[in-house]
Amino acid sequence: MPEKACRAVLAAILSALLAGCALYPAVQVAGGAMTGYDAVVTADKYLPRDNVEGGSLCIIRDAQMERRLRERLELNDIHLSAHVIDAKAYLVGQVKSRNQADYAIRTAATVEGVKTITCKFYPPAPARQAARDAARDQLLIKELSERFGETKRLDGSDLRVEVIRSHAILIGRAKDYSQKTAALAIAEEVNGLADVVDYISVNQPDETPATAEKDSLASK
C-alpha cells in the first residue's frame, strides 16, 4: 500500500477511536469573538495513565511522549507546537474553530502517560498578513531565545519559547521562583511582544531546610 494511502487509513482509524472521547474545556470570549482558547484538561479522566516520577527516567519518558504526541498531531494534519514536561503536554498554535481545537486535545489525550493537557490557541491571522505575522514571530522567538541564552541566571532551567501573533508563550521548568521571575522579566523587556503567557513550573525541593535539620537532629 502506498505510504500516503497507509497514512490516510491510519488517520481514519484514529479519528474513529477518538469520536467518543470529546473534551469541553473553556473558551475565552471577548466582544463576541474567540480571541484565545486557553485550557487545562486532566487527561486521566479519559484514558488510564501510568504514573511518571522524577529524575532521569522522567526526562526520558517526557521525550518519548513528546515524540509520540508530535507524530500523532502530524498524522492527523494538526499543525501545532507540542511539548511535554513532567508528563504534562502543552499545545500551542492557531486553530480555525472550536471543533479543530477539541480534535487536537482529543488526539493528545491518546498519548499514554500524559497526565494533563494545557493548550493556548489563537485564531489564525487573515491570509493577507499571515506571512508577515509568521516572519515577525520568528524574529521575536530568535531574540527571546538569544536573551535567555546570554544570561547565567537561567542556567539549569528547561525553557521553551513559542510566539504566536506576537504573543509569547514560555513553557518549561525553573529551578526556583527567582529563576522563573528572571525569565518572565527578560521576556517583558522584548519590544514587539503583545503579552507573555507563563507556563513555567518550579522544581520543588524534596524537603525544606527546616525539615532536613529536624531529621538530622532526630538521627543523632
PDB file of all heavy atoms in Angstrom, residues 53-91:
ATOM      1  N   GLU A  53       7.407   9.320  37.539  1.00  0.00           N
ATOM      2  CA  GLU A  53       8.003  10.001  38.683  1.00  0.00           C
ATOM      3  C   GLU A  53       9.449  10.379  38.380  1.00  0.00           C
ATOM      4  O   GLU A  53      10.219   9.584  37.869  1.00  0.00           O
ATOM      5  CB  GLU A  53       7.965   9.083  39.923  1.00  0.00           C
ATOM      6  CG  GLU A  53       6.566   8.647  40.323  1.00  0.00           C
ATOM      7  CD  GLU A  53       5.712   9.793  40.826  1.00  0.00           C
ATOM      8  OE1 GLU A  53       6.288  10.851  41.125  1.00  0.00           O
ATOM      9  OE2 GLU A  53       4.494   9.622  40.917  1.00  0.00           O
ATOM     10  N   GLY A  54       9.826  11.599  38.694  1.00  0.00           N
ATOM     11  CA  GLY A  54      11.091  12.311  38.651  1.00  0.00           C
ATOM     12  C   GLY A  54      12.348  11.669  38.096  1.00  0.00           C
ATOM     13  O   GLY A  54      12.368  10.593  37.589  1.00  0.00           O
ATOM     14  N   GLY A  55      13.407  12.450  38.144  1.00  0.00           N
ATOM     15  CA  GLY A  55      14.730  12.007  37.759  1.00  0.00           C
ATOM     16  C   GLY A  55      14.905  11.799  36.267  1.00  0.00           C
ATOM     17  O   GLY A  55      14.129  12.253  35.441  1.00  0.00           O
ATOM     18  N   SER A  56      15.995  11.074  35.921  1.00  0.00           N
ATOM     19  CA  SER A  56      16.320  10.857  34.507  1.00  0.00           C
ATOM     20  C   SER A  56      15.240  10.060  33.806  1.00  0.00           C
ATOM     21  O   SER A  56      14.996  10.243  32.615  1.00  0.00           O
ATOM     22  CB  SER A  56      17.665  10.135  34.390  1.00  0.00           C
ATOM     23  OG  SER A  56      17.632   8.892  35.064  1.00  0.00           O
ATOM     24  N   LEU A  57      14.577   9.157  34.537  1.00  0.00           N
ATOM     25  CA  LEU A  57      13.505   8.370  33.933  1.00  0.00           C
ATOM     26  C   LEU A  57      12.394   9.284  33.426  1.00  0.00           C
ATOM     27  O   LEU A  57      11.854   9.086  32.338  1.00  0.00           O
ATOM     28  CB  LEU A  57      12.930   7.374  34.945  1.00  0.00           C
ATOM     29  CG  LEU A  57      11.709   6.562  34.471  1.00  0.00           C
ATOM     30  CD1 LEU A  57      12.076   5.734  33.245  1.00  0.00           C
ATOM     31  CD2 LEU A  57      11.193   5.665  35.580  1.00  0.00           C
ATOM     32  N   CYS A  58      12.070  10.317  34.214  1.00  0.00           N
ATOM     33  CA  CYS A  58      11.033  11.263  33.826  1.00  0.00           C
ATOM     34  C   CYS A  58      11.419  11.990  32.544  1.00  0.00           C
ATOM     35  O   CYS A  58      10.603  12.177  31.654  1.00  0.00           O
ATOM     36  CB  CYS A  58      10.790  12.271  34.951  1.00  0.00           C
ATOM     37  SG  CYS A  58       9.525  13.510  34.585  1.00  0.00           S
ATOM     38  N   ILE A  59      12.689  12.396  32.439  1.00  0.00           N
ATOM     39  CA  ILE A  59      13.155  13.111  31.260  1.00  0.00           C
ATOM     40  C   ILE A  59      13.057  12.231  30.026  1.00  0.00           C
ATOM     41  O   ILE A  59      12.605  12.662  28.961  1.00  0.00           O
ATOM     42  CB  ILE A  59      14.607  13.598  31.467  1.00  0.00           C
ATOM     43  CG1 ILE A  59      14.658  14.628  32.603  1.00  0.00           C
ATOM     44  CG2 ILE A  59      15.176  14.185  30.186  1.00  0.00           C
ATOM     45  CD1 ILE A  59      16.055  15.046  32.982  1.00  0.00           C
ATOM     46  N   ILE A  60      13.445  10.973  30.152  1.00  0.00           N
ATOM     47  CA  ILE A  60      13.366  10.044  29.020  1.00  0.00           C
ATOM     48  C   ILE A  60      11.920   9.826  28.601  1.00  0.00           C
ATOM     49  O   ILE A  60      11.586   9.861  27.412  1.00  0.00           O
ATOM     50  CB  ILE A  60      14.024   8.700  29.393  1.00  0.00           C
ATOM     51  CG1 ILE A  60      15.530   8.893  29.601  1.00  0.00           C
ATOM     52  CG2 ILE A  60      13.768   7.657  28.314  1.00  0.00           C
ATOM     53  CD1 ILE A  60      16.231   7.677  30.147  1.00  0.00           C
ATOM     54  N   ARG A  61      11.048   9.617  29.581  1.00  0.00           N
ATOM     55  CA  ARG A  61       9.639   9.408  29.263  1.00  0.00           C
ATOM     56  C   ARG A  61       9.019  10.641  28.632  1.00  0.00           C
ATOM     57  O   ARG A  61       8.205  10.559  27.727  1.00  0.00           O
ATOM     58  CB  ARG A  61       8.864   9.015  30.533  1.00  0.00           C
ATOM     59  CG  ARG A  61       9.180   7.622  31.068  1.00  0.00           C
ATOM     60  CD  ARG A  61       8.714   6.534  30.106  1.00  0.00           C
ATOM     61  NE  ARG A  61       7.294   6.598  29.874  1.00  0.00           N
ATOM     62  CZ  ARG A  61       6.372   5.998  30.637  1.00  0.00           C
ATOM     63  NH1 ARG A  61       6.739   5.311  31.682  1.00  0.00           N
ATOM     64  NH2 ARG A  61       5.093   6.092  30.327  1.00  0.00           N
ATOM     65  N   ASP A  62       9.394  11.821  29.122  1.00  0.00           N
ATOM     66  CA  ASP A  62       8.903  13.069  28.526  1.00  0.00           C
ATOM     67  C   ASP A  62       9.269  13.139  27.055  1.00  0.00           C
ATOM     68  O   ASP A  62       8.453  13.512  26.207  1.00  0.00           O
ATOM     69  CB  ASP A  62       9.479  14.282  29.263  1.00  0.00           C
ATOM     70  CG  ASP A  62       8.791  14.561  30.594  1.00  0.00           C
ATOM     71  OD1 ASP A  62       7.740  13.946  30.862  1.00  0.00           O
ATOM     72  OD2 ASP A  62       9.308  15.387  31.357  1.00  0.00           O
ATOM     73  N   ALA A  63      10.521  12.811  26.742  1.00  0.00           N
ATOM     74  CA  ALA A  63      10.983  12.864  25.355  1.00  0.00           C
ATOM     75  C   ALA A  63      10.215  11.878  24.483  1.00  0.00           C
ATOM     76  O   ALA A  63       9.847  12.186  23.343  1.00  0.00           O
ATOM     77  CB  ALA A  63      12.486  12.579  25.291  1.00  0.00           C
ATOM     78  N   GLN A  64       9.953  10.696  25.015  1.00  0.00           N
ATOM     79  CA  GLN A  64       9.193   9.693  24.271  1.00  0.00           C
ATOM     80  C   GLN A  64       7.764  10.169  24.015  1.00  0.00           C
ATOM     81  O   GLN A  64       7.253  10.060  22.892  1.00  0.00           O
ATOM     82  CB  GLN A  64       9.180   8.374  25.039  1.00  0.00           C
ATOM     83  CG  GLN A  64      10.526   7.689  25.120  1.00  0.00           C
ATOM     84  CD  GLN A  64      10.497   6.460  26.010  1.00  0.00           C
ATOM     85  OE1 GLN A  64       9.606   6.318  26.867  1.00  0.00           O
ATOM     86  NE2 GLN A  64      11.454   5.577  25.843  1.00  0.00           N
ATOM     87  N   MET A  65       7.121  10.703  25.050  1.00  0.00           N
ATOM     88  CA  MET A  65       5.749  11.176  24.899  1.00  0.00           C
ATOM     89  C   MET A  65       5.667  12.357  23.952  1.00  0.00           C
ATOM     90  O   MET A  65       4.734  12.478  23.160  1.00  0.00           O
ATOM     91  CB  MET A  65       5.164  11.526  26.271  1.00  0.00           C
ATOM     92  CG  MET A  65       4.805  10.312  27.112  1.00  0.00           C
ATOM     93  SD  MET A  65       3.964  10.753  28.651  1.00  0.00           S
ATOM     94  CE  MET A  65       5.344  11.314  29.638  1.00  0.00           C
ATOM     95  N   GLU A  66       6.659  13.249  24.034  1.00  0.00           N
ATOM     96  CA  GLU A  66       6.673  14.410  23.148  1.00  0.00           C
ATOM     97  C   GLU A  66       6.789  13.969  21.691  1.00  0.00           C
ATOM     98  O   GLU A  66       6.099  14.503  20.813  1.00  0.00           O
ATOM     99  CB  GLU A  66       7.824  15.330  23.529  1.00  0.00           C
ATOM    100  CG  GLU A  66       7.862  16.631  22.739  1.00  0.00           C
ATOM    101  CD  GLU A  66       8.890  17.604  23.287  1.00  0.00           C
ATOM    102  OE1 GLU A  66       8.623  18.228  24.329  1.00  0.00           O
ATOM    103  OE2 GLU A  66       9.976  17.721  22.680  1.00  0.00           O
ATOM    104  N   ARG A  67       7.659  12.999  21.431  1.00  0.00           N
ATOM    105  CA  ARG A  67       7.806  12.496  20.060  1.00  0.00           C
ATOM    106  C   ARG A  67       6.508  11.870  19.561  1.00  0.00           C
ATOM    107  O   ARG A  67       6.063  12.137  18.441  1.00  0.00           O
ATOM    108  CB  ARG A  67       8.934  11.470  19.995  1.00  0.00           C
ATOM    109  CG  ARG A  67       9.247  11.012  18.572  1.00  0.00           C
ATOM    110  CD  ARG A  67      10.206   9.838  18.527  1.00  0.00           C
ATOM    111  NE  ARG A  67       9.574   8.616  18.969  1.00  0.00           N
ATOM    112  CZ  ARG A  67       9.864   7.970  20.087  1.00  0.00           C
ATOM    113  NH1 ARG A  67      10.761   8.456  20.923  1.00  0.00           N
ATOM    114  NH2 ARG A  67       9.242   6.853  20.404  1.00  0.00           N
ATOM    115  N   ARG A  68       5.876  11.054  20.407  1.00  0.00           N
ATOM    116  CA  ARG A  68       4.617  10.411  20.006  1.00  0.00           C
ATOM    117  C   ARG A  68       3.513  11.434  19.795  1.00  0.00           C
ATOM    118  O   ARG A  68       2.710  11.316  18.874  1.00  0.00           O
ATOM    119  CB  ARG A  68       4.196   9.398  21.078  1.00  0.00           C
ATOM    120  CG  ARG A  68       5.095   8.172  21.141  1.00  0.00           C
ATOM    121  CD  ARG A  68       4.827   7.342  22.373  1.00  0.00           C
ATOM    122  NE  ARG A  68       5.767   6.244  22.484  1.00  0.00           N
ATOM    123  CZ  ARG A  68       5.981   5.559  23.598  1.00  0.00           C
ATOM    124  NH1 ARG A  68       5.304   5.882  24.693  1.00  0.00           N
ATOM    125  NH2 ARG A  68       6.848   4.569  23.621  1.00  0.00           N
ATOM    126  N   LEU A  69       3.486  12.447  20.656  1.00  0.00           N
ATOM    127  CA  LEU A  69       2.468  13.482  20.527  1.00  0.00           C
ATOM    128  C   LEU A  69       2.623  14.213  19.200  1.00  0.00           C
ATOM    129  O   LEU A  69       1.637  14.425  18.471  1.00  0.00           O
ATOM    130  CB  LEU A  69       2.581  14.463  21.698  1.00  0.00           C
ATOM    131  CG  LEU A  69       1.687  15.708  21.663  1.00  0.00           C
ATOM    132  CD1 LEU A  69       0.219  15.317  21.531  1.00  0.00           C
ATOM    133  CD2 LEU A  69       1.919  16.551  22.902  1.00  0.00           C
ATOM    134  N   ARG A  70       3.834  14.597  18.869  1.00  0.00           N
ATOM    135  CA  ARG A  70       4.057  15.313  17.619  1.00  0.00           C
ATOM    136  C   ARG A  70       3.741  14.444  16.407  1.00  0.00           C
ATOM    137  O   ARG A  70       3.198  14.915  15.410  1.00  0.00           O
ATOM    138  CB  ARG A  70       5.502  15.810  17.561  1.00  0.00           C
ATOM    139  CG  ARG A  70       5.789  16.904  18.595  1.00  0.00           C
ATOM    140  CD  ARG A  70       7.234  17.336  18.590  1.00  0.00           C
ATOM    141  NE  ARG A  70       7.443  18.442  19.524  1.00  0.00           N
ATOM    142  CZ  ARG A  70       8.633  19.000  19.759  1.00  0.00           C
ATOM    143  NH1 ARG A  70       9.706  18.556  19.119  1.00  0.00           N
ATOM    144  NH2 ARG A  70       8.738  20.002  20.621  1.00  0.00           N
ATOM    145  N   GLU A  71       4.069  13.156  16.494  1.00  0.00           N
ATOM    146  CA  GLU A  71       3.767  12.242  15.393  1.00  0.00           C
ATOM    147  C   GLU A  71       2.264  12.114  15.174  1.00  0.00           C
ATOM    148  O   GLU A  71       1.785  12.107  14.035  1.00  0.00           O
ATOM    149  CB  GLU A  71       4.371  10.867  15.674  1.00  0.00           C
ATOM    150  CG  GLU A  71       5.894  10.827  15.558  1.00  0.00           C
ATOM    151  CD  GLU A  71       6.470   9.502  15.991  1.00  0.00           C
ATOM    152  OE1 GLU A  71       5.719   8.689  16.596  1.00  0.00           O
ATOM    153  OE2 GLU A  71       7.677   9.265  15.748  1.00  0.00           O
ATOM    154  N   ARG A  72       1.506  12.024  16.273  1.00  0.00           N
ATOM    155  CA  ARG A  72       0.049  11.868  16.136  1.00  0.00           C
ATOM    156  C   ARG A  72      -0.609  13.143  15.630  1.00  0.00           C
ATOM    157  O   ARG A  72      -1.564  13.089  14.852  1.00  0.00           O
ATOM    158  CB  ARG A  72      -0.552  11.437  17.470  1.00  0.00           C
ATOM    159  CG  ARG A  72      -0.100  10.047  17.864  1.00  0.00           C
ATOM    160  CD  ARG A  72      -0.813   9.477  19.052  1.00  0.00           C
ATOM    161  NE  ARG A  72      -0.175   8.247  19.466  1.00  0.00           N
ATOM    162  CZ  ARG A  72      -0.612   7.457  20.422  1.00  0.00           C
ATOM    163  NH1 ARG A  72      -1.733   7.772  21.066  1.00  0.00           N
ATOM    164  NH2 ARG A  72       0.029   6.357  20.749  1.00  0.00           N
ATOM    165  N   LEU A  73      -0.103  14.278  16.054  1.00  0.00           N
ATOM    166  CA  LEU A  73      -0.642  15.533  15.524  1.00  0.00           C
ATOM    167  C   LEU A  73      -0.379  15.627  14.021  1.00  0.00           C
ATOM    168  O   LEU A  73      -1.261  16.004  13.240  1.00  0.00           O
ATOM    169  CB  LEU A  73       0.000  16.717  16.241  1.00  0.00           C
ATOM    170  CG  LEU A  73      -0.362  16.902  17.724  1.00  0.00           C
ATOM    171  CD1 LEU A  73       0.464  18.031  18.331  1.00  0.00           C
ATOM    172  CD2 LEU A  73      -1.842  17.183  17.906  1.00  0.00           C
ATOM    173  N   GLU A  74       0.834  15.268  13.605  1.00  0.00           N
ATOM    174  CA  GLU A  74       1.178  15.327  12.178  1.00  0.00           C
ATOM    175  C   GLU A  74       0.333  14.338  11.383  1.00  0.00           C
ATOM    176  O   GLU A  74      -0.149  14.660  10.292  1.00  0.00           O
ATOM    177  CB  GLU A  74       2.661  15.020  11.990  1.00  0.00           C
ATOM    178  CG  GLU A  74       3.116  15.072  10.540  1.00  0.00           C
ATOM    179  CD  GLU A  74       4.587  14.751  10.384  1.00  0.00           C
ATOM    180  OE1 GLU A  74       5.273  14.555  11.407  1.00  0.00           O
ATOM    181  OE2 GLU A  74       5.057  14.681   9.230  1.00  0.00           O
ATOM    182  N   LEU A  75       0.147  13.142  11.924  1.00  0.00           N
ATOM    183  CA  LEU A  75      -0.654  12.123  11.249  1.00  0.00           C
ATOM    184  C   LEU A  75      -2.078  12.606  10.996  1.00  0.00           C
ATOM    185  O   LEU A  75      -2.685  12.276   9.973  1.00  0.00           O
ATOM    186  CB  LEU A  75      -0.684  10.845  12.097  1.00  0.00           C
ATOM    187  CG  LEU A  75      -1.512   9.675  11.574  1.00  0.00           C
ATOM    188  CD1 LEU A  75      -0.967   9.176  10.250  1.00  0.00           C
ATOM    189  CD2 LEU A  75      -1.548   8.552  12.598  1.00  0.00           C
ATOM    190  N   ASN A  76      -2.588  13.408  11.930  1.00  0.00           N
ATOM    191  CA  ASN A  76      -3.951  13.913  11.804  1.00  0.00           C
ATOM    192  C   ASN A  76      -4.019  15.310  11.193  1.00  0.00           C
ATOM    193  O   ASN A  76      -5.045  15.985  11.302  1.00  0.00           O
ATOM    194  CB  ASN A  76      -4.621  13.909  13.186  1.00  0.00           C
ATOM    195  CG  ASN A  76      -4.987  12.512  13.635  1.00  0.00           C
ATOM    196  OD1 ASN A  76      -6.043  12.008  13.298  1.00  0.00           O
ATOM    197  ND2 ASN A  76      -4.102  11.874  14.374  1.00  0.00           N
ATOM    198  N   ASP A  77      -2.920  15.725  10.561  1.00  0.00           N
ATOM    199  CA  ASP A  77      -2.871  17.015   9.857  1.00  0.00           C
ATOM    200  C   ASP A  77      -3.188  18.177  10.796  1.00  0.00           C
ATOM    201  O   ASP A  77      -3.879  19.130  10.426  1.00  0.00           O
ATOM    202  CB  ASP A  77      -3.846  17.003   8.669  1.00  0.00           C
ATOM    203  CG  ASP A  77      -3.532  18.099   7.662  1.00  0.00           C
ATOM    204  OD1 ASP A  77      -2.356  18.472   7.543  1.00  0.00           O
ATOM    205  OD2 ASP A  77      -4.467  18.594   6.997  1.00  0.00           O
ATOM    206  N   ILE A  78      -2.682  18.090  12.042  1.00  0.00           N
ATOM    207  CA  ILE A  78      -2.861  19.146  13.037  1.00  0.00           C
ATOM    208  C   ILE A  78      -1.527  19.868  13.183  1.00  0.00           C
ATOM    209  O   ILE A  78      -0.539  19.280  13.607  1.00  0.00           O
ATOM    210  CB  ILE A  78      -3.306  18.566  14.392  1.00  0.00           C
ATOM    211  CG1 ILE A  78      -4.628  17.819  14.230  1.00  0.00           C
ATOM    212  CG2 ILE A  78      -3.438  19.668  15.436  1.00  0.00           C
ATOM    213  CD1 ILE A  78      -5.038  17.041  15.466  1.00  0.00           C
ATOM    214  N   HIS A  79      -1.502  21.147  12.825  1.00  0.00           N
ATOM    215  CA  HIS A  79      -0.249  21.893  12.796  1.00  0.00           C
ATOM    216  C   HIS A  79      -0.141  22.788  14.032  1.00  0.00           C
ATOM    217  O   HIS A  79      -0.507  23.962  14.018  1.00  0.00           O
ATOM    218  CB  HIS A  79      -0.174  22.706  11.508  1.00  0.00           C
ATOM    219  CG  HIS A  79      -0.359  21.883  10.276  1.00  0.00           C
ATOM    220  ND1 HIS A  79       0.586  20.966   9.844  1.00  0.00           N
ATOM    221  CD2 HIS A  79      -1.397  21.795   9.399  1.00  0.00           C
ATOM    222  CE1 HIS A  79       0.161  20.374   8.750  1.00  0.00           C
ATOM    223  NE2 HIS A  79      -1.041  20.847   8.458  1.00  0.00           N
ATOM    224  N   LEU A  80       0.364  22.188  15.114  1.00  0.00           N
ATOM    225  CA  LEU A  80       0.538  22.894  16.377  1.00  0.00           C
ATOM    226  C   LEU A  80       1.906  22.565  16.946  1.00  0.00           C
ATOM    227  O   LEU A  80       2.485  21.510  16.645  1.00  0.00           O
ATOM    228  CB  LEU A  80      -0.536  22.474  17.381  1.00  0.00           C
ATOM    229  CG  LEU A  80      -1.992  22.786  17.046  1.00  0.00           C
ATOM    230  CD1 LEU A  80      -2.915  22.102  18.040  1.00  0.00           C
ATOM    231  CD2 LEU A  80      -2.235  24.295  17.058  1.00  0.00           C
ATOM    232  N   SER A  81       2.417  23.454  17.789  1.00  0.00           N
ATOM    233  CA  SER A  81       3.633  23.144  18.537  1.00  0.00           C
ATOM    234  C   SER A  81       3.241  22.318  19.760  1.00  0.00           C
ATOM    235  O   SER A  81       2.211  22.581  20.391  1.00  0.00           O
ATOM    236  CB  SER A  81       4.327  24.431  18.979  1.00  0.00           C
ATOM    237  OG  SER A  81       4.762  25.176  17.865  1.00  0.00           O
ATOM    238  N   ALA A  82       4.058  21.334  20.082  1.00  0.00           N
ATOM    239  CA  ALA A  82       3.735  20.435  21.191  1.00  0.00           C
ATOM    240  C   ALA A  82       4.971  20.198  22.043  1.00  0.00           C
ATOM    241  O   ALA A  82       6.066  19.979  21.521  1.00  0.00           O
ATOM    242  CB  ALA A  82       3.199  19.113  20.660  1.00  0.00           C
ATOM    243  N   HIS A  83       4.782  20.243  23.356  1.00  0.00           N
ATOM    244  CA  HIS A  83       5.866  19.996  24.305  1.00  0.00           C
ATOM    245  C   HIS A  83       5.329  19.110  25.423  1.00  0.00           C
ATOM    246  O   HIS A  83       4.139  19.169  25.757  1.00  0.00           O
ATOM    247  CB  HIS A  83       6.382  21.307  24.907  1.00  0.00           C
ATOM    248  CG  HIS A  83       6.831  22.303  23.883  1.00  0.00           C
ATOM    249  ND1 HIS A  83       8.109  22.325  23.379  1.00  0.00           N
ATOM    250  CD2 HIS A  83       6.164  23.321  23.264  1.00  0.00           C
ATOM    251  CE1 HIS A  83       8.214  23.309  22.495  1.00  0.00           C
ATOM    252  NE2 HIS A  83       7.050  23.929  22.410  1.00  0.00           N
ATOM    253  N   VAL A  84       6.206  18.307  26.012  1.00  0.00           N
ATOM    254  CA  VAL A  84       5.844  17.511  27.184  1.00  0.00           C
ATOM    255  C   VAL A  84       6.913  17.710  28.245  1.00  0.00           C
ATOM    256  O   VAL A  84       8.102  17.473  27.997  1.00  0.00           O
ATOM    257  CB  VAL A  84       5.709  16.011  26.846  1.00  0.00           C
ATOM    258  CG1 VAL A  84       5.429  15.215  28.115  1.00  0.00           C
ATOM    259  CG2 VAL A  84       4.601  15.783  25.828  1.00  0.00           C
ATOM    260  N   ILE A  85       6.488  18.157  29.426  1.00  0.00           N
ATOM    261  CA  ILE A  85       7.393  18.379  30.552  1.00  0.00           C
ATOM    262  C   ILE A  85       6.730  17.822  31.805  1.00  0.00           C
ATOM    263  O   ILE A  85       5.594  18.179  32.122  1.00  0.00           O
ATOM    264  CB  ILE A  85       7.700  19.876  30.734  1.00  0.00           C
ATOM    265  CG1 ILE A  85       8.419  20.420  29.490  1.00  0.00           C
ATOM    266  CG2 ILE A  85       8.548  20.106  31.984  1.00  0.00           C
ATOM    267  CD1 ILE A  85       8.690  21.895  29.540  1.00  0.00           C
ATOM    268  N   ASP A  86       7.424  16.927  32.499  1.00  0.00           N
ATOM    269  CA  ASP A  86       6.882  16.282  33.701  1.00  0.00           C
ATOM    270  C   ASP A  86       5.540  15.605  33.410  1.00  0.00           C
ATOM    271  O   ASP A  86       4.599  15.690  34.199  1.00  0.00           O
ATOM    272  CB  ASP A  86       6.712  17.307  34.830  1.00  0.00           C
ATOM    273  CG  ASP A  86       8.039  17.881  35.290  1.00  0.00           C
ATOM    274  OD1 ASP A  86       9.065  17.173  35.162  1.00  0.00           O
ATOM    275  OD2 ASP A  86       8.069  19.027  35.766  1.00  0.00           O
ATOM    276  N   ALA A  87       5.451  14.958  32.257  1.00  0.00           N
ATOM    277  CA  ALA A  87       4.248  14.238  31.823  1.00  0.00           C
ATOM    278  C   ALA A  87       3.061  15.152  31.553  1.00  0.00           C
ATOM    279  O   ALA A  87       1.935  14.687  31.434  1.00  0.00           O
ATOM    280  CB  ALA A  87       3.863  13.158  32.836  1.00  0.00           C
ATOM    281  N   LYS A  88       3.305  16.447  31.457  1.00  0.00           N
ATOM    282  CA  LYS A  88       2.257  17.410  31.140  1.00  0.00           C
ATOM    283  C   LYS A  88       2.458  17.897  29.704  1.00  0.00           C
ATOM    284  O   LYS A  88       3.535  18.378  29.361  1.00  0.00           O
ATOM    285  CB  LYS A  88       2.303  18.595  32.111  1.00  0.00           C
ATOM    286  CG  LYS A  88       2.135  18.190  33.574  1.00  0.00           C
ATOM    287  CD  LYS A  88       2.377  19.378  34.490  1.00  0.00           C
ATOM    288  CE  LYS A  88       2.289  18.965  35.958  1.00  0.00           C
ATOM    289  NZ  LYS A  88       2.588  20.108  36.861  1.00  0.00           N
ATOM    290  N   ALA A  89       1.417  17.764  28.888  1.00  0.00           N
ATOM    291  CA  ALA A  89       1.503  18.157  27.489  1.00  0.00           C
ATOM    292  C   ALA A  89       1.042  19.601  27.310  1.00  0.00           C
ATOM    293  O   ALA A  89       0.094  20.048  27.962  1.00  0.00           O
ATOM    294  CB  ALA A  89       0.646  17.231  26.625  1.00  0.00           C
ATOM    295  N   TYR A  90       1.708  20.311  26.424  1.00  0.00           N
ATOM    296  CA  TYR A  90       1.360  21.694  26.101  1.00  0.00           C
ATOM    297  C   TYR A  90       1.179  21.808  24.593  1.00  0.00           C
ATOM    298  O   TYR A  90       2.074  21.442  23.823  1.00  0.00           O
ATOM    299  CB  TYR A  90       2.463  22.655  26.563  1.00  0.00           C
ATOM    300  CG  TYR A  90       2.700  22.647  28.050  1.00  0.00           C
ATOM    301  CD1 TYR A  90       3.542  21.702  28.637  1.00  0.00           C
ATOM    302  CD2 TYR A  90       2.066  23.567  28.883  1.00  0.00           C
ATOM    303  CE1 TYR A  90       3.752  21.680  30.009  1.00  0.00           C
ATOM    304  CE2 TYR A  90       2.275  23.556  30.256  1.00  0.00           C
ATOM    305  CZ  TYR A  90       3.116  22.606  30.813  1.00  0.00           C
ATOM    306  OH  TYR A  90       3.321  22.592  32.177  1.00  0.00           O
ATOM    307  N   LEU A  91       0.018  22.310  24.176  1.00  0.00           N
ATOM    308  CA  LEU A  91      -0.278  22.532  22.763  1.00  0.00           C
ATOM    309  C   LEU A  91      -0.403  24.030  22.525  1.00  0.00           C
ATOM    310  O   LEU A  91      -1.159  24.707  23.226  1.00  0.00           O
ATOM    311  CB  LEU A  91      -1.580  21.840  22.365  1.00  0.00           C
ATOM    312  CG  LEU A  91      -1.667  20.325  22.600  1.00  0.00           C
ATOM    313  CD1 LEU A  91      -3.045  19.818  22.167  1.00  0.00           C
ATOM    314  CD2 LEU A  91      -0.566  19.594  21.865  1.00  0.00           C
TER     315      LEU A  91
END
